[in-house]
Amino acid sequence: MKFSKMQGIGNDYLYFNCFEEKIENPSELAIKLSDRHFGVGSDGIILIEPSDHADCRMDIYNSDGSRAMMCGNGIRCVGKYLYERGLVRKDVLKVDTLSGVKTLFLDVKNGIVHSVKVDMGKPVFRPAEIPVIFSKETVIDEPITVDGNEYRITCVSMGNPHCILFVDDVDAVPIEKIGPELEHASIFPDRANIEFVQVLNSGEAKMRVWERGAGETWACGTGACASAISCAVNHKTGRKVKMHLKGGDLSIEWDDRTDTVFMQGPAEFVFDGTID
Ligand SMILES: N[C@H](CCC[C@H](N)C(=O)O)C(=O)O
């Protein structure tokens, strides 16, 4: 099996070209290969598959083997992979995912994709569709108690579930303790990605993420979108936010006319490999 290791601001996955390879049990493979001591080391694996209504289909599995609906950092890498490995020769692409078809706008110079802008679709606030078990119509700055600890949360789906908490200092968050407690909280029937956000000014925020099925990662694209939206709905920033993550920055814009969220950021190859 051939794979390409790629990363989007430090959120690293192993990519398999399923136009050429057949992957039998991706969940088991994700667990085995993601291990940073006994495997290749990654936050999960991503399958690039044929599609009859898009340029390809993206299927993502977290490092714990769970299948996810969408991956923001991953889809930018898929766009770069398709273009630079010659599967497509255009700079506007459609990638199908379990949360619908996304449109990608590639910034190409001399045949190299320098950054990718993704139409991430519309945020979803209805608890039943996130999903989160809550009695109100939205979960915006709501108090909850988990394992005896009080939190104020904002929940939104970007095709996958996100729970955002605002903090004064992201670097001081005991993420290894709070992350899994909230990821597995009973109010999240499908678990959730947990983001901790420190607002810097009306156009910038710093964040850390405890990802569902992967633990703390260096970045989460859907999480950056969910965090920027949460900043806006809580009146802490405007609708254009530069999100500073451990692995780098993402530019997020929530269009007030179309309700659409755009995410722009880099995508990089690390190395190609083969597995016997
Ligand atoms: N852990 C996520 C999937 C990966 C998303 C993330 N890496 C991104 O860039 O959006 C979930 O289970 O919903």
Side-chain angles (χ1 to χ4, degrees), residues 11 13 60 62 68 70-74 160 193 211-212 219-222:
N11 192 199
Y13 292 91
I60 167 186
N62 293 304
M70 176 51 191
C71 181
N73 289 316
N160 51 2
N193 299 285
E211 278 201 38
R212 174 177 66 170
C220 178
T222 51

Side-chain angles (χ1 to χ4, degrees), residues 168-202:
D168 296 332
D169 178 0
V170 286
D171 298 324
V173 173
I175 198 167
E176 299 285 338
K177 178 179 180 302
I178 303 181
E181 280 177 9
L182 288 168
E183 173 194 358
H184 296 274
S186 57
I187 60 169
F188 298 120
D190 297 344
R191 298 189 286 170
N193 299 285
I194 313 299
E195 282 85 18
F196 300 91
V197 179
Q198 175 186 345
V199 178
L200 303 175
N201 57 56
S202 64

Side-chain angles (χ1 to χ4, degrees), residues 142-153 182 185-187:
E142 294 289 346
I144 60 162
T145 302
V146 174
D147 297 346
N149 299 308
E150 285 266 328
Y151 302 99
R152 295 196 76 90
I153 63 170
L182 288 168
S186 57
I187 60 169

